[in-house]
Amino acid sequence: MNRVSTLPDFSRLEVAMDQWSAPFWQAGGEHRLVMPRCTACATFRWPPGPFCPTCRAKAVAWVPPGAARIHSFTILAQPGADKDAPPQWRMPTLVEFADAPGVRLVSVLIDAPCDAVAIGDPVEIVWQPAANALVPVFRLRG
Amino acid sequence: MAKAAAAITGIGSTPIWFRGESAPRTMPELIGEAVMAAVADAGLALDEVDGLAFFAFGFDTALLIETLGLRAVTFAHCVSSFGSGLAGMLDLAAMGIESGRARNIVCIGGTQQIGRRLGQAIGSFAATPDNIFHRIAGLGGPGQALALQVRRHMHRFGTRREAFGEVVIASRAHAATRARAFRRTPLAMDEYLASPMLADPLCRLDFCLETDGALAFVVQSAERARDARQSPVYILGGAQVGTADWGRAFFGFQQDEDAFASAGGGPVARRLYERCGLGPADIDVALIYDHFSPLVVMALEDFGFCARGEGGPFVESGAIRLGGAIPVNPHGGHLSDAYVVGMTHIHEAVEQLRGVAVNQVAGARTALVTGGPAPTPMTAAILGNQP
Ligand SMILES: [Zn+2]
């Protein structure tokens, strides 16, 4: 089987955000991936929230988390546009970052040969338009 | 080992229906029938019920008290997690008894999947700043999210799909002798391996049943249980543990490497064994929360029946069958018997320890019951037929 993962249509997806996650989405609007790091003890905080899980300080600096690799993934068959259309392959994927220990980001891996993807594969972040923000998706680094 | 303070003296269940087919019965009606059956089994009158214990976000307590016409409920509490709170409900009831807050506590649980399927729960939640990433990823239900953890276990330890297949096949073999069970047709490994993938590496047969029903259990003091109608099943100990690491489980994905490729039961297992003064070698039968078959493999590691990473070969050796090293879910579990948020597992533990189970583990004296791998607190309990 020659299965390739698809890019979902996010055009109607409203991204919910709050004061803790807003800087993530603001940087994403400029195609930049940043993660919150505690300014007191340098622990990364994900998902974003009011306190550092290690030292309970509040302040963070938003910094690039470094190169991304696949930690795990799954493959879902989703119905095609009509009943005769072939299924679409969607790949929810969890990645880790070289410079942000303990942080895992889940999104979807696009344009990937489903049966050749492996844990540890390097990926790049690609930003795709949703209703009110750009959302990060992953693509295998070629 | 501390002497048990409380015991299960009555069990009751409604019939179990396939998802949605319990309509037009309502949840209060199902609960009422389960409670009345449990109270009758214990040889009590409904008017003697003075306590209620729940988990999984509970029920409308006021409505239940009205519906059942209870006169003086002095204890009505809920363990604050979903399926992970199952065994904690017994611990909670024991606390109510031990503290003297109530004398006859009924533990209640039920499901009715009409219009809303638990398997699609994540996708049905309102979008929040936290769950937005699950929505972008396309993780609509717990099975899809858990698939990420299962793949990691396979990657780290070489766990084979055959191990998950053996969990399903063993559950079918157990269910085959039980008239009530929903999936009783014997299953062969090649059929399992050919089952369509729903959330790779999880195939359709790795997903549990979706059924409707309610069950209830009466908990009384160990002292009163000595005079009970049925032989008492003592709550030897329970544990409830929340850790930031396991946290919101597959809603978070931030566990350390060992916890990620687990069923999240490590900390609660350690606390449970310590509280009871028992270890895995003391357990005669294990009722493991099996809404997805790989979770049995990982929970066996968490609860020390084999080493971390060896769950696959351990299961494939036949260890979880009747007569194996640790018989697991002799009623067929969520995979083949029925799914009522783990309540059927407690029911089976009680029948095993009364010595009246359909697939009786010879001489069973202790049973482990685990809550589901889901957001914290995680819970587990050990039951026994000697105090
Ligand atoms: Zn800090």
Side-chain angles (χ1 to χ4, degrees):
Chain A
M1 215 173 351
N2 214 355
R3 307 187 294 174
V4 175
S5 67
T6 54
L7 169 63
D9 175 13
F10 296 119
S11 60
R12 285 196 301 268
L13 178 76
E14 286 281 342
V15 173
M17 52 184 92
D18 58 16
Q19 60 176 313
W20 312 112
S21 63
F24 176 91
W25 298 107
Q26 278 155 13
E30 301 160 7
H31 297 251
R32 288 189 299 117
L33 180 74
V34 291
M35 292 283 187
R37 189 178 63 191
C38 177
T39 53
C41 79
T43 300
F44 277 88
R45 192 182 307 179
W46 193 256
F51 303 108
C52 171
T54 302
C55 78
R56 283 84 186 193
K58 292 184 105 167
V60 294
W62 289 84
V63 300
R69 285 182 184 277
I70 294 177
H71 184 74
S72 195
F73 63 92
T74 181
I75 307 166
L76 311 177
Q78 304 201 310
D82 59 71
K83 68 175 170 50
D84 299 320
Q88 307 250 303
W89 304 102
R90 183 162 178 154
M91 292 189 69
T93 297
L94 190 61
V95 306
E96 289 190 312
F97 300 94
D99 304 328
V103 168
R104 299 196 189 104
L105 180 67
V106 71
S107 182
V108 67
L109 180 69
I110 64 165
D111 301 336
C114 301
D115 300 292
V117 172
I119 286 174
D121 283 352
V123 300
E124 59 184 357
I125 314 296
V126 184
W127 296 86
Q128 293 294 323
N132 61 335
L134 298 183
V135 299
V137 302
F138 310 129
R139 186 185 277 142
L140 291 176
R141 203 175 266 284
Chain B
M1 192 177 104
K3 261 189 130 34
I8 299 171
T9 56
I11 58 177
S13 175
T14 63
I16 310 288
W17 296 266
F18 190 73
R19 161 172 57 84
E21 291 177 1
S22 59
R25 296 166 189 84
T26 61
M27 203 57 185
E29 180 182 356
L30 297 183
I31 290 172
E33 286 176 7
V35 169
M36 286 183 230
V39 165
D41 187 51
L44 293 175
L46 203 52
D47 283 345
E48 295 175 90
V49 171
D50 58 358
L52 302 172
F54 313 121
F55 69 110
F57 314 141
F59 298 99
D60 183 335
T61 312
L63 176 64
L64 266 189
I65 291 174
E66 270 185 31
T67 304
L68 291 171
L70 301 179
R71 314 212 186 275
V73 173
T74 55
F75 182 94
H77 293 278
C78 183
V79 177
S80 58
S81 46
F82 198 70
S84 27
L86 168 74
M89 173 182 63
L90 300 177
D91 190 35
L92 177 64
M95 283 187 250
I97 297 294
E98 220 173 330
S99 64
R101 296 301 173 97
R103 288 154 58 90
N104 306 306
I105 297 179
V106 184
C107 299
I108 299 167
T111 47
Q112 204 177 26
Q113 301 196 48
I114 296 175
R116 175 173 173 266
R117 296 172 66 182
L118 295 172
Q120 298 167 354
I122 302 177
S124 70
F125 294 156
T128 68
D130 286 347
N131 74 19
I132 192 68
F133 293 99
H134 281 60
R135 199 158 287 221
I136 294 166
L139 296 172
Q144 299 173 351
L146 287 164
L148 299 174
Q149 298 185 240
V150 173
R151 181 181 301 281
R152 195 72 196 174
H153 196 278
M154 299 173 85
H155 171 77
R156 279 191 72 199
F157 304 117
T159 313
R160 311 191 311 156
R161 283 192 64 217
E162 282 81 350
F164 312 148
E166 163 61 13
V167 172
V168 181
I169 291 167
S171 84
R172 286 286 183 95
H174 294 160
T177 56
R178 285 167 51 85
R180 205 282 294 282
F182 278 73
R183 290 178 182 156
R184 288 184 294 151
T185 317
L187 182 73
M189 186 60 81
D190 55 353
E191 288 174 81
Y192 169 82
L193 293 172
S195 168
M197 283 291 176
L198 288 193
D200 195 328
L202 269 57
C203 66
R204 178 169 291 153
L205 292 172
D206 291 317
F207 283 64
C208 76
L209 288 153
E210 296 174 287
T211 54
D212 293 354
L215 289 91
F217 311 109
V218 175
V219 175
Q220 298 180 286
S221 72
E223 197 184 331
R224 295 193 68 196
R226 281 204 302 267
D227 308 321
R229 206 173 139 255
Q230 300 276 7
S231 47
V233 169
Y234 298 93
I235 300 170
L236 300 184
Q240 310 181 35
V241 181
T243 57
D245 179 51
W246 182 256
R248 292 171 303 154
F250 44 81
F251 294 103
F253 291 133
Q254 307 303 317
Q255 301 87 355
D256 76 18
E257 183 68 37
D258 272 351
F260 187 89
S262 85
V268 76
R270 284 189 290 279
R271 178 151 176 91
L272 177 68
Y273 289 142
E274 187 188 301
R275 277 178 58 81
C276 297
L278 297 170
D282 301 310
I283 306 296
D284 296 326
V285 55
L287 286 305
I288 294 181
Y289 203 99
D290 56 341
H291 49 341
F292 302 97
S293 58
L295 298 173
V296 172
V297 172
M298 302 197 284
L300 287 166
E301 299 173 5
D302 292 348
F303 282 87
F305 295 105
C306 60
R308 174 69 59 209
E310 288 173 14
F314 182 69
V315 164
E316 288 191 60
S317 76
I320 64 172
R321 300 277 183 137
L322 288 170
I326 178 67
V328 171
N329 300 347
H331 59 320
H334 290 149
L335 292 164
S336 298
D337 173 49
Y339 172 86
V340 189
V341 215
M343 292 296 283
T344 49
H345 289 52
I346 296 176
H347 193 277
E348 172 70 7
V350 171
E351 290 197 334
Q352 287 286 342
L353 296 172
R354 285 179 178 178
V356 299
V358 172
N359 297 313
Q360 182 64 43
V361 173
R365 295 188 310 166
T366 56
L368 170 71
V369 179
T370 73
T376 51
M378 298 290 290
T379 71
I382 297 174
L383 308 180
N385 53 19
Q386 300 298 322

Coordinates of all heavy atoms in Angstrom, one line a residue, chain B residues 159-211:
Chain B
T159 N 7.9 -5.1 22.1 CA 6.6 -5.7 22.3 C 5.9 -6.0 21.0 O 5.8 -5.1 20.1 CB 5.7 -4.8 23.2 OG1 6.5 -4.4 24.3 CG2 4.5 -5.5 23.7
R160 N 5.3 -7.2 20.8 CA 4.7 -7.6 19.5 C 3.2 -7.4 19.6 O 2.6 -7.6 20.7 CB 5.0 -9.0 19.2 CG 6.5 -9.4 19.4 CD 6.8 -10.7 18.8 NE 5.9 -11.8 19.2 CZ 5.7 -12.9 18.5 NH1 6.4 -13.1 17.3 NH2 4.9 -13.8 18.9
R161 N 2.6 -7.2 18.4 CA 1.1 -7.2 18.4 C 0.5 -8.5 18.9 O -0.6 -8.6 19.4 CB 0.6 -7.0 17.0 CG 0.7 -5.5 16.5 CD 0.0 -5.3 15.2 NE -1.5 -5.5 15.4 CZ -2.2 -6.1 14.4 NH1 -1.7 -6.5 13.3 NH2 -3.5 -6.3 14.7
E162 N 1.3 -9.6 18.8 CA 0.8 -10.9 19.2 C 0.5 -10.9 20.7 O -0.3 -11.7 21.2 CB 1.9 -12.0 19.0 CG 1.9 -12.5 17.5 CD 2.7 -11.6 16.5 OE1 3.1 -10.4 16.9 OE2 2.9 -12.0 15.4
A163 N 1.2 -10.0 21.5 CA 1.0 -9.9 22.9 C -0.4 -9.3 23.2 O -1.2 -9.8 24.0 CB 2.0 -9.1 23.6
F164 N -0.7 -8.3 22.4 CA -2.1 -7.7 22.5 C -3.1 -8.7 22.1 O -4.2 -8.7 22.6 CB -2.1 -6.4 21.7 CG -1.0 -5.4 21.9 CD1 -0.5 -4.6 20.9 CD2 -0.3 -5.4 23.1 CE1 0.6 -3.8 21.1 CE2 0.8 -4.5 23.3 CZ 1.2 -3.7 22.3
G165 N -2.8 -9.4 21.0 CA -3.7 -10.4 20.5 C -4.0 -11.5 21.6 O -5.1 -11.9 21.7
E166 N -3.0 -11.9 22.3 CA -3.2 -12.9 23.4 C -4.1 -12.3 24.5 O -4.9 -13.1 25.0 CB -1.8 -13.3 23.9 CG -1.8 -14.0 25.3 CD -2.6 -15.3 25.3 OE1 -3.0 -15.9 24.2 OE2 -2.9 -15.8 26.5
V167 N -4.0 -11.0 24.8 CA -4.9 -10.4 25.7 C -6.3 -10.6 25.3 O -7.2 -11.0 26.0 CB -4.5 -9.0 26.0 CG1 -5.6 -8.3 26.9 CG2 -3.2 -8.8 26.6
V168 N -6.6 -10.3 24.0 CA -7.9 -10.3 23.4 C -8.4 -11.8 23.4 O -9.5 -12.1 23.8 CB -8.0 -9.7 22.0 CG1 -9.4 -9.7 21.5 CG2 -7.5 -8.3 22.1
I169 N -7.5 -12.7 22.9 CA -7.9 -14.1 22.8 C -8.2 -14.7 24.1 O -9.1 -15.5 24.3 CB -6.7 -14.8 22.0 CG1 -6.7 -14.4 20.5 CG2 -7.0 -16.4 22.1 CD1 -5.4 -14.8 19.8
A170 N -7.4 -14.4 25.1 CA -7.6 -14.9 26.5 C -8.9 -14.4 27.0 O -9.7 -15.2 27.6 CB -6.5 -14.5 27.4
S171 N -9.2 -13.1 26.7 CA -10.5 -12.6 27.2 C -11.7 -13.3 26.6 O -12.7 -13.6 27.2 CB -10.6 -11.1 27.0 OG -11.0 -10.7 25.7
R172 N -11.5 -13.6 25.3 CA -12.6 -14.4 24.6 C -12.8 -15.8 25.2 O -13.9 -16.2 25.4 CB -12.3 -14.5 23.1 CG -12.4 -13.3 22.3 CD -13.9 -12.9 22.1 NE -13.9 -11.8 21.2 CZ -14.1 -11.8 19.9 NH1 -14.2 -13.0 19.3 NH2 -14.1 -10.7 19.2
A173 N -11.6 -16.4 25.4 CA -11.7 -17.7 26.0 C -12.4 -17.7 27.4 O -13.2 -18.6 27.7 CB -10.3 -18.3 26.1
H174 N -12.1 -16.7 28.1 CA -12.8 -16.6 29.4 C -14.3 -16.3 29.3 O -15.1 -16.8 29.9 CB -12.1 -15.4 30.3 CG -10.7 -15.7 30.7 ND1 -9.8 -14.8 31.0 CD2 -10.0 -16.9 30.7 CE1 -8.7 -15.3 31.3 NE2 -8.7 -16.6 31.1
A175 N -14.6 -15.4 28.3 CA -16.0 -15.0 28.1 C -16.8 -16.1 27.6 O -18.0 -16.2 27.7 CB -16.1 -13.8 27.2
A176 N -16.2 -17.1 26.9 CA -16.9 -18.1 26.1 C -17.8 -18.9 27.0 O -18.9 -19.4 26.6 CB -15.9 -19.0 25.4
T177 N -17.5 -19.0 28.3 CA -18.3 -19.9 29.2 C -19.4 -19.0 29.9 O -20.1 -19.6 30.8 CB -17.4 -20.5 30.3 OG1 -16.7 -19.5 30.9 CG2 -16.4 -21.5 29.6
R178 N -19.4 -17.8 29.6 CA -20.4 -16.9 30.4 C -21.5 -16.4 29.5 O -21.3 -15.7 28.6 CB -19.6 -15.7 31.0 CG -18.7 -16.1 32.2 CD -17.8 -14.9 32.5 NE -18.4 -13.7 32.6 CZ -19.0 -13.2 33.7 NH1 -19.0 -13.9 34.8 NH2 -19.6 -12.0 33.7
A179 N -22.7 -16.8 29.9 CA -23.9 -16.5 29.1 C -24.0 -15.0 28.9 O -24.5 -14.5 27.8 CB -25.1 -17.1 29.7
R180 N -23.7 -14.2 29.9 CA -23.9 -12.8 29.8 C -22.9 -12.0 28.9 O -23.3 -11.0 28.3 CB -23.7 -12.2 31.3 CG -24.3 -11.0 31.7 CD -23.7 -9.7 31.2 NE -22.4 -9.4 31.7 CZ -22.1 -8.9 32.9 NH1 -23.1 -8.7 33.8 NH2 -20.9 -8.7 33.3
A181 N -21.8 -12.6 28.6 CA -20.7 -11.9 27.9 C -21.1 -11.6 26.5 O -21.9 -12.3 25.8 CB -19.4 -12.8 27.9
F182 N -20.7 -10.5 26.0 CA -21.1 -10.0 24.6 C -20.2 -10.6 23.5 O -20.7 -10.7 22.4 CB -21.0 -8.4 24.6 CG -22.3 -7.8 25.2 CD1 -22.5 -7.8 26.5 CD2 -23.2 -7.3 24.4 CE1 -23.6 -7.2 27.1 CE2 -24.4 -6.7 24.9 CZ -24.6 -6.7 26.3
R183 N -19.0 -10.8 23.7 CA -18.1 -11.4 22.7 C -17.6 -12.8 23.2 O -16.7 -12.9 24.0 CB -16.9 -10.5 22.4 CG -17.3 -9.2 21.7 CD -16.0 -8.4 21.5 NE -16.3 -7.1 20.9 CZ -15.5 -6.0 21.0 NH1 -14.4 -6.1 21.7 NH2 -15.9 -4.9 20.4
R184 N -18.3 -13.8 22.7 CA -18.0 -15.2 23.2 C -17.4 -16.1 22.2 O -17.0 -17.2 22.5 CB -19.3 -15.8 23.8 CG -19.6 -15.1 25.1 CD -20.8 -15.8 25.8 NE -22.0 -15.6 25.0 CZ -23.0 -16.5 24.9 NH1 -23.0 -17.6 25.6 NH2 -24.1 -16.2 24.2
T185 N -17.4 -15.6 20.9 CA -16.8 -16.5 19.9 C -15.3 -16.6 20.0 O -14.6 -15.6 20.1 CB -17.1 -15.9 18.5 OG1 -18.5 -15.4 18.5 CG2 -16.9 -16.9 17.4
P186 N -14.8 -17.9 20.1 CA -13.3 -18.0 20.2 C -12.6 -17.3 19.0 O -13.2 -17.2 17.9 CB -13.1 -19.5 20.1 CG -14.4 -20.1 20.5 CD -15.5 -19.1 20.0
L187 N -11.5 -16.8 19.3 CA -10.7 -16.0 18.3 C -9.3 -16.6 18.1 O -8.7 -17.0 19.1 CB -10.6 -14.5 18.9 CG -9.9 -13.5 18.0 CD1 -10.8 -13.1 16.9 CD2 -9.5 -12.3 18.9
A188 N -8.9 -16.7 16.9 CA -7.6 -17.2 16.6 C -6.6 -16.0 16.3 O -7.0 -14.9 15.9 CB -7.6 -18.1 15.3
M189 N -5.3 -16.3 16.5 CA -4.3 -15.2 16.3 C -4.3 -14.6 14.9 O -4.2 -13.4 14.7 CB -2.9 -15.7 16.7 CG -1.9 -14.6 16.7 SD -2.2 -13.3 17.9 CE -1.6 -14.1 19.4
D190 N -4.5 -15.5 13.9 CA -4.5 -14.9 12.5 C -5.7 -14.0 12.3 O -5.6 -13.0 11.6 CB -4.4 -16.0 11.4 CG -5.4 -17.1 11.5 OD1 -6.2 -17.1 12.5 OD2 -5.5 -17.9 10.6
E191 N -6.8 -14.3 12.9 CA -8.0 -13.4 12.8 C -7.7 -12.1 13.5 O -8.0 -11.0 13.0 CB -9.2 -14.0 13.5 CG -9.9 -15.2 12.8 CD -11.0 -15.8 13.7 OE1 -12.1 -15.2 13.7 OE2 -10.7 -16.8 14.4
Y192 N -7.1 -12.2 14.7 CA -6.7 -11.0 15.4 C -5.8 -10.1 14.5 O -6.0 -8.9 14.3 CB -6.0 -11.3 16.7 CG -5.4 -10.0 17.3 CD1 -6.2 -9.2 18.1 CD2 -4.1 -9.7 17.1 CE1 -5.6 -8.0 18.6 CE2 -3.5 -8.6 17.6 CZ -4.3 -7.7 18.4 OH -3.8 -6.5 18.8
L193 N -4.8 -10.7 14.0 CA -3.8 -10.0 13.2 C -4.4 -9.3 11.9 O -3.8 -8.4 11.4 CB -2.6 -10.8 12.9 CG -1.7 -11.3 14.1 CD1 -0.7 -12.3 13.7 CD2 -1.1 -10.1 14.8
A194 N -5.5 -9.9 11.4 CA -6.1 -9.4 10.2 C -7.2 -8.3 10.6 O -7.7 -7.8 9.6 CB -6.8 -10.6 9.5
S195 N -7.4 -8.1 11.8 CA -8.4 -7.1 12.2 C -8.0 -5.7 11.7 O -6.8 -5.4 11.8 CB -8.6 -7.1 13.7 OG -9.3 -6.0 14.2
P196 N -8.9 -4.9 11.2 CA -8.5 -3.6 10.6 C -7.9 -2.7 11.7 O -8.4 -2.6 12.8 CB -9.8 -3.1 10.0 CG -10.9 -3.9 10.6 CD -10.3 -5.2 11.0
M197 N -6.9 -1.9 11.3 CA -6.3 -0.9 12.2 C -7.3 0.2 12.3 O -7.7 0.8 11.4 CB -5.0 -0.4 11.5 CG -3.9 -1.4 11.7 SD -3.3 -1.5 13.4 CE -2.1 -2.7 13.3
L198 N -7.5 0.6 13.6 CA -8.3 1.8 13.9 C -7.4 3.0 14.2 O -7.7 4.1 13.9 CB -9.3 1.6 15.0 CG -10.5 0.7 14.7 CD1 -11.5 0.8 15.8 CD2 -11.1 1.0 13.4
A199 N -6.4 2.7 15.0 CA -5.4 3.7 15.4 C -4.1 3.0 15.6 O -3.7 2.6 16.7 CB -5.8 4.4 16.7
D200 N -3.4 2.7 14.4 CA -2.2 2.0 14.4 C -1.3 2.3 15.5 O -0.9 3.5 15.6 CB -1.6 2.3 13.0 CG -0.5 1.3 12.6 OD1 0.1 0.7 13.5 OD2 -0.4 1.0 11.4
P201 N -0.8 1.4 16.3 CA -0.9 -0.1 16.2 C -2.1 -0.7 16.9 O -2.1 -1.9 17.1 CB 0.4 -0.5 17.0 CG 0.5 0.5 18.1 CD 0.0 1.8 17.4
L202 N -3.1 0.0 17.2 CA -4.4 -0.6 17.8 C -5.3 -0.9 16.7 O -5.7 -0.1 15.9 CB -5.0 0.4 18.7 CG -4.6 0.3 20.2 CD1 -3.1 0.5 20.4 CD2 -5.4 1.4 21.0
C203 N -5.7 -2.2 16.6 CA -6.7 -2.7 15.7 C -8.1 -2.7 16.3 O -8.2 -2.5 17.5 CB -6.4 -4.0 15.1 SG -6.4 -5.4 16.3
R204 N -9.1 -2.9 15.5 CA -10.5 -2.9 16.0 C -10.7 -3.8 17.3 O -11.3 -3.4 18.2 CB -11.5 -3.3 14.9 CG -12.9 -3.4 15.4 CD -13.9 -3.5 14.2 NE -13.9 -2.3 13.4 CZ -14.1 -2.3 12.1 NH1 -14.4 -3.4 11.4 NH2 -14.1 -1.2 11.4
L205 N -10.0 -5.0 17.2 CA -10.2 -5.9 18.3 C -9.5 -5.5 19.6 O -9.7 -6.1 20.7 CB -9.7 -7.3 17.9 CG -10.6 -8.0 16.8 CD1 -10.0 -9.3 16.3 CD2 -12.0 -8.3 17.4
D206 N -8.6 -4.5 19.5 CA -8.0 -4.0 20.8 C -8.9 -3.0 21.5 O -8.6 -2.7 22.7 CB -6.7 -3.2 20.4 CG -5.6 -4.1 19.9 OD1 -5.4 -5.2 20.5 OD2 -4.9 -3.7 18.9
F207 N -10.0 -2.6 20.9 CA -10.9 -1.7 21.5 C -12.0 -2.5 22.3 O -12.4 -3.5 21.8 CB -11.6 -0.8 20.5 CG -10.7 0.3 19.9 CD1 -9.6 0.1 19.2 CD2 -11.1 1.7 20.2 CE1 -8.8 1.1 18.7 CE2 -10.3 2.7 19.7 CZ -9.1 2.4 19.0
C208 N -12.4 -2.0 23.5 CA -13.3 -2.7 24.3 C -14.7 -2.5 23.8 O -15.0 -1.7 22.8 CB -13.2 -2.3 25.7 SG -14.0 -0.7 26.1
L209 N -15.6 -3.2 24.4 CA -17.1 -3.1 24.1 C -17.6 -1.8 24.5 O -17.0 -1.1 25.3 CB -17.8 -4.2 24.9 CG -17.6 -5.6 24.4 CD1 -17.8 -6.6 25.5 CD2 -18.6 -5.9 23.3
E210 N -18.8 -1.4 24.0 CA -19.5 -0.3 24.5 C -20.9 -0.8 24.9 O -21.7 -1.2 24.0 CB -19.7 0.8 23.3 CG -18.3 1.4 22.9 CD -18.5 2.3 21.6 OE1 -18.8 1.7 20.6 OE2 -18.4 3.5 21.8
T211 N -21.1 -0.8 26.2 CA -22.4 -1.3 26.7 C -23.0 -0.4 27.7 O -22.3 0.5 28.3 CB -22.2 -2.7 27.3 OG1 -21.1 -2.6 28.3 CG2 -21.7 -3.7 26.3

